[in-house]
């Protein structure tokens, strides 16, 4: 008899696919009726069609992708740029994390951008969005939130660098993020997720049950990145979306019970979608009908529903329990609230919201025009611009394609099947996004599905494994899987932008505000950064200015004293694109990138007497290894 170990799969006859779907099968009767379309088997014809789709997704050597994908980096704290449809990772943009390759979090420029939060070394990015004009991407900015440390950041898309970071007051954990689409992105909206006591200064720790708790919906000025206003709401805010008129924003809300334990947060039958009337909020702020809290000057409005009475600027539409994703169809007609714990997605007609805010409905649910049953665990929805929606089913490990107008007809009593197709994904999908689906230009070509588990898809890497991003061709009647690949640290969401909508710089402009601080200091020191290599002493502060041009630094050595605060400012004089230099001091934790025509600076303490090499970290020349110099640190007397 063989000693081969008999696995649970062998004993039960279940594949890993089947095992993961067991829960879904058990609960399938809960989502009967219109949601019972099964997954079709892969026929030879289907496989042949998939092969053709895979050829469409192929991007050959030296060919360029059609789209930029802006990926969140999850708990890595970064943002990633991925080409579509090749799914090749092109760049990692450090935002809330530290990066030794670029020096982000170490250079003076990055510390100035991070501001008072520069000491925080982690981040948790979830929901990237890109700036728009008239509901179309304009290539100016991407925005990303930090759930871990309650921040929002802006990324300049012309240089793919973060240039602003704002800490949001009064709330904890920014989760959902969205922005105004028209006439242009003037406001960025952020959901504070967790309710917290006010004031949260520790004085209420022994009587938290008596303390008032709340969270807020915040709006930031997209240009200044200052918080423009905040609205106190009922419950925990989750995800958010906006309409195409600039008038309404919505946010899914869970924990309507205002509880702090799991059981308590599950008591109510329903939670809600909170709807914000932006012009009315701005009227209140302009009229001075707001409060301020603590030492913040941010206008705060109370948008809670009290004693059954609504405010003029918020409404709460009941939806099934613990809704998650909030989305807007590219035709601007509907908001969507994904059920998560319900097999449904709630569809709300935006053209009914004026009547809702004018109190013409006896029931807030009169704005609901459909609530299709799709399967178990609908988390997020995206769109192809042809009237179809695509929803991720977390528990079923599937994506379901469904027709919006047919779902509305079904809700009105017609016997019509709104589900077009279901496909398996691997495994437990969260976010998904179709090409240009956040804009009027949704083109229905590609769908990216971000799954939380990869299980058996890739080589095992120990207990911590890669996750799985999958690419589907959705240009035809059926979704066809054409690529999957590993992803690290839980990418939550993406936006997909056509490549012609982003114009990146090939080299830096010398007067770029990104390194304005270094330029100002050099001007004060009377140093011409493009021609001078100089050491300036100011007591125990030493400022070292040097140029770099492959394969040499402008200074082959400089001297300082033990304990000096040293600031090294390097200007890359190379004007050839893709010829970056780096500056690293051995054994000092000092490293930074200096791309063509860029100036970078970094400050550190010369704490170790002796001779210490600095060298170029980015391979720039055949004599790259020789591009080095010495920092001579004289010991204290």
């Amino acid at each position: 008899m063989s000693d081969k170990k008999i696995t649970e799969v062998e004993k039960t006859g279940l594949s890993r696919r089947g095992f993961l779907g067991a829960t879904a099968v058990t609960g399938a009767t809960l989502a009967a009726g219109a949601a019972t379309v099964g997954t079709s088997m892969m026929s030879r014809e289907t496989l042949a069609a998939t092969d053709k789709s895979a050829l469409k997704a192929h991007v050959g050597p030296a060919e360029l992708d059609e789209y930029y994908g802006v990926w969140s980096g999850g708990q890595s704290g970064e943002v990633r740029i991925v080409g579509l449809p090749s799914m090749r990772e092109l760049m990692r943009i450090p935002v809330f994390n530290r990066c030794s390759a670029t020096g982000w979090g170490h250079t003076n420029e990055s510390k100035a951008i991070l501001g008072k939060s520069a000491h925080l070394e982690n981040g948790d990015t979830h929901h990237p969005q890109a700036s728009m004009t008239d509901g179309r991407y304009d290539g100016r900015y991407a925005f990303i939130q930090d759930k871990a440390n309650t921040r929002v950041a802006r990324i300049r898309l012309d240089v793919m660098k973060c240039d602003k970071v704002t800490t949001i007051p009064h709330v904890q954990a920014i989760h959902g993020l969205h922005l105004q689409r028209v006439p242009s992105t003037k406001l960025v909206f952020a959901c504070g997720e967790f309710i917290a006591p006010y004031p949260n200064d520790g004085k209420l720790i022994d009587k938290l049950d008596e303390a008032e708790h709340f969270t807020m919906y915040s709006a930031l000025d997209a240009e200044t990145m200052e918080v423009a206003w905040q609205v106190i709401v009922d419950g925990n805010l989750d995800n958010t979306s906006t309409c195409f008129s600039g008038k309404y924003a919505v946010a899914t809300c869970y924990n309507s019970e205002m509880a702090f334990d799991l059981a308590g947060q599950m008591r109510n039958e329903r939670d809600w979608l909170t709807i914000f009337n932006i012009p009315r909020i701005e009227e209140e702020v302009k009229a001075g009908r707001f409060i301020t809290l603590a030492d913040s000057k941010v206008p705060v409005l109370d948008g809670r529903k009290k004693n059954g009475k609504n405010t003029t600027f918020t409404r709460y539409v009941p939806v099934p329990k613990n809704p998650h994703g909030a989305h807007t169809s590219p035709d601007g007609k509907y908001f969507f609230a994904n059920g998560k714990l319900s097999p449904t997605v709630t569809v709300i007609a935006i053209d009914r919201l004026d009547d809702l805010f004018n109190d013409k409905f006896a029931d807030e649910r009169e704005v609901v025009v459909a609530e299709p049953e799709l399967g178990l665990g609908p988390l997020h929805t995206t769109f192809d611009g042809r009237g179809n929606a695509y929803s991720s089913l977390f528990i079923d490990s599937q994506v379901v394609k469904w027709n919006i107008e047919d779902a509305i007809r079904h809700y009105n009593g017609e016997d019509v099947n709104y589900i077009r197709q279901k496909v398996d994904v691997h495994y437990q999908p969260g976010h998904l996004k179709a090409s240009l689906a956040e804009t009027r230009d949704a083109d229905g070509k590609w769908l990216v599905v971000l799954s939380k588990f990869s299980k058996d898809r890739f080589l095992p890497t120990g207990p911590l494994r890669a996750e799985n991003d999958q690419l589907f061709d959705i240009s035809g009647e059926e979704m066809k899987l054409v690529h999957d690949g590993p992803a690290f640290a839980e990418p939550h969401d993406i936006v997909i932008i056509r490549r012609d909508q982003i114009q990146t710089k090939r080299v830096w402009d010398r007067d770029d505000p990104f390194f304005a601080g270094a330029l100002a200091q050099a001007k004060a020191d009377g140093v011409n950064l493009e021609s001078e290599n100089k050491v300036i002493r100011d007591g125990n502060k030493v400022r070292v200015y040097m140029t770099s041009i492959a394969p040499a630094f402008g200074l082959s050595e400089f001297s300082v004293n033990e304990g000096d605060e040293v600031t090294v400012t390097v200007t890359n004089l190379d004007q050839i694109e893709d010829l970056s230099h780096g500056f690293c001091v051995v054994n000092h934790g000092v490293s930074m990138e200096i791309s063509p025509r860029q100036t970078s600076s970094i400050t550190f303490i010369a704490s170790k007497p002796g001779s210490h090499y600095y060298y170029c970290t980015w391979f720039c020349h055949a004599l790259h290894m020789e591009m080095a110099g010495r920092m001579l640190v004289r010991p204290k007397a």
Side-chain angles (χ1 to χ4, degrees):
M1 181 175 178
S2 171
D3 291 331
K4 179 182 177 183
K5 182 179 178 180
I6 300 176
T7 67
E8 288 298 316
V9 170
E10 288 170 324
K11 285 191 290 185
T12 60
L14 281 176
S15 66
R16 193 180 298 270
R17 164 80 250 165
F19 175 75
L20 286 167
T23 305
V25 172
T26 302
T29 54
L30 299 176
T36 56
V37 175
T39 305
S40 60
M41 297 296 290
M42 275 278 199
S43 66
R44 289 184 179 179
E45 291 78 8
T46 302
L47 286 171
T50 299
D51 287 342
K52 291 181 180 178
S53 293
L55 287 175
K56 286 170 57 179
H58 177 69
V59 181
E63 294 180 352
L64 300 181
D65 281 287
E66 186 177 359
Y67 305 90
Y68 288 98
V70 182
W71 252 250
S72 65
Q75 53 270 38
S76 73
E78 66 191 10
V79 167
R80 297 165 192 165
I81 304 298
V82 175
L84 266 72
S86 72
M87 299 292 281
R88 298 182 295 210
E89 185 177 287
L90 306 175
M91 182 57 61
R92 293 190 171 198
I93 304 173
V95 182
F96 304 114
N97 56 321
R98 299 295 177 268
C99 177
S100 67
T102 62
W104 185 262
H106 303 282
T107 64
N108 298 326
E109 290 73 35
S110 60
K111 286 182 177 180
I113 290 166
L114 289 163
K116 293 181 179 179
S117 69
H119 66 286
L120 301 170
E121 297 189 355
N122 72 308
D124 189 7
T125 60
H126 286 214
H127 300 110
Q129 289 293 333
S131 61
M132 301 183 195
T133 298
D134 192 30
R136 296 178 170 88
Y137 292 130
D138 57 26
R140 293 182 298 144
Y141 304 120
F143 300 88
I144 191 70
Q145 48 62 248
D146 173 18
K147 180 172 178 176
N149 295 298
T150 318
R151 295 176 288 184
V152 175
R154 186 179 75 186
I155 294 167
R156 281 177 48 188
L157 291 176
D158 62 338
V159 292
M160 301 286 180
K161 298 279 189 185
C162 173
D163 77 328
K164 294 280 188 181
V165 173
T166 301
T167 299
I168 310 301
H170 312 313
V171 298
Q172 289 189 38
I174 296 299
H175 188 216
L177 183 87
H178 219 283
L179 41 74
Q180 277 186 323
R181 307 175 198 248
V182 295
S184 63
T185 298
K186 294 181 179 179
L187 292 177
V188 177
F189 303 109
C191 291
E193 183 171 355
F194 300 125
I195 58 172
Y198 184 81
N200 193 15
D201 55 8
K203 296 177 181 178
L204 301 174
I205 289 295
D206 295 326
K207 46 183 178 181
L208 284 177
D209 291 342
E210 305 171 18
E212 182 181 33
H213 287 74
F214 54 76
T215 190
M216 300 184 185
Y217 192 72
S218 301
L220 292 83
D221 183 297
E223 292 300 326
T224 66
M225 287 294 285
E226 295 179 355
V227 182
W229 46 258
Q230 295 180 294
V231 176
I232 300 173
V233 298
D234 290 314
N236 290 29
L237 291 174
D238 197 351
N239 285 283
T240 182
S241 190
T242 62
C243 69
F244 280 86
S245 71
K247 189 170 186 179
Y248 293 111
V250 298
T252 48
C253 179
Y254 69 97
N255 190 24
S256 54
E257 303 86 351
M258 304 290 284
F260 302 98
D261 63 300
L262 180 60
Q265 294 179 36
M266 304 300 293
R267 285 196 305 267
N268 292 345
E269 181 180 351
R270 286 177 172 172
D271 285 308
W272 46 65
L273 185 72
T274 307
I275 304 177
F276 301 90
N277 188 314
I278 306 304
R280 289 190 180 182
I281 291 172
E282 292 179 334
E283 287 173 9
E284 295 293 301
V285 172
K286 185 177 181 179
R289 293 189 289 268
F290 59 82
I291 61 173
T292 58
L293 301 177
D295 58 352
S296 170
K297 295 181 180 180
V298 175
V300 175
L301 306 179
D302 193 339
R304 290 173 289 187
K305 188 173 184 178
K306 294 185 177 181
N307 301 318
K309 186 176 180 181
N310 287 307
T311 70
T312 61
F313 48 85
T314 55
R315 291 294 184 273
Y316 294 85
V317 176
V319 296
K321 191 67 187 157
N322 290 74
H324 189 58
H327 306 283
T328 307
S329 57
D331 59 12
K333 291 182 178 181
Y334 307 109
F335 284 131
F336 296 74
N338 288 248
K340 191 168 78 172
L341 298 187
S342 167
T344 60
V345 170
T346 303
V347 184
I348 290 175
I350 295 174
D351 64 6
R352 296 188 182 186
L353 295 185
D354 284 352
D355 286 344
L356 175 68
F357 274 89
N358 290 326
D359 299 321
K360 293 186 177 180
F361 296 139
D363 183 352
E364 288 92 343
R365 289 270 303 174
E366 290 188 48
V367 299
V368 176
V369 294
E371 209 157 54
E373 294 181 344
L374 302 176
L376 298 182
L379 290 188
H380 291 279
T381 297
T382 191
F383 312 94
D384 63 11
R386 300 189 297 269
N388 300 310
Y390 300 74
S391 296
S392 58
L393 303 177
F394 182 80
I395 297 175
D396 283 346
S397 283
Q398 290 182 324
V399 169
V400 54
K401 174 182 177 181
W402 54 284
N403 184 268
I404 299 168
E405 294 303 324
D406 281 353
I408 294 172
R409 290 167 58 201
H410 184 272
Y411 190 75
N412 290 329
E414 294 187 43
D415 185 15
V416 58
N417 184 3
Y418 44 81
I419 290 182
R420 297 293 185 261
Q421 184 190 9
K422 287 186 176 182
V423 295
D424 293 340
V425 294
H426 309 279
Y427 302 91
Q428 271 74 55
H431 283 273
L432 75 173
K433 194 62 60 70
S435 47
L436 303 175
E438 292 289 308
T439 73
R440 300 185 193 276
D441 297 326
D443 61 12
K445 291 184 178 181
W446 303 104
L447 171 70
V448 175
V449 181
L450 310 179
S451 294
K452 299 300 183 185
F453 303 97
S454 64
K455 303 294 182 187
D456 50 9
R457 302 294 288 180
F458 314 113
L459 281 173
T461 54
L464 179 63
R465 296 195 184 186
E467 298 178 15
N468 190 11
D469 294 347
Q470 295 191 301
L471 178 70
F472 287 83
D473 176 1
I474 59 169
S475 59
E477 290 301 311
E478 293 188 347
M479 297 176 275
K480 297 181 178 64
L481 176 65
V482 296
H483 174 89
D484 66 1
F488 173 68
E490 203 170 2
H492 281 263
D493 197 7
I494 64 174
V495 291
I496 302 172
I497 307 171
R498 210 171 54 240
R499 77 179 185 209
D500 63 281
Q501 294 175 317
I502 299 178
Q503 303 300 317
T504 59
K505 292 183 182 295
R506 295 179 179 270
V507 300
W508 285 88
D509 294 330
R510 285 300 302 142
D511 59 352
D512 196 287
F514 188 83
F515 41 87
L519 298 180
Q521 183 63 61
K523 183 177 181 180
D525 285 336
V527 176
N528 185 333
L529 292 175
E530 298 187 63
S531 62
E532 292 187 84
N533 295 276
K534 196 171 186 178
V535 177
I536 294 176
R537 292 194 168 278
D538 182 8
N540 68 340
K541 295 184 178 180
V542 180
R543 292 186 289 279
V544 180
Y545 294 97
M546 70 175 78
T547 57
S548 65
I549 186 165
F553 291 109
L555 290 175
S556 59
E557 67 179 39
F558 62 88
S559 297
V560 298
N561 297 320
E562 180 185 0
D564 280 351
E565 179 187 278
V566 182
T567 298
V568 176
T569 301
V570 183
T571 298
N572 183 348
L573 299 182
D574 284 300
Q575 301 190 49
I576 301 170
E577 67 178 276
D578 199 18
L579 186 52
S580 294
H581 295 301
F583 178 84
C584 175
V585 182
V586 177
N587 296 333
H588 278 71
V590 171
S591 183
M592 62 181 177
E593 159 219 355
I594 317 102
S595 286
R597 305 293 291 162
Q598 182 181 4
T599 293
S600 297
S601 65
I602 193 164
T603 300
F604 58 97
I605 301 298
S607 58
K608 301 176 181 179
S611 174
H612 304 280
Y613 274 92
Y614 52 87
Y615 67 94
C616 178
T617 53
W618 292 84
F619 207 101
C620 60
H621 192 273
L623 294 174
H624 165 74
M625 299 299 292
E626 287 75 16
M627 189 170 175
R630 294 183 299 174
M631 178 179 69
L632 307 178
V633 182
R634 302 182 186 281
K636 290 180 180 178

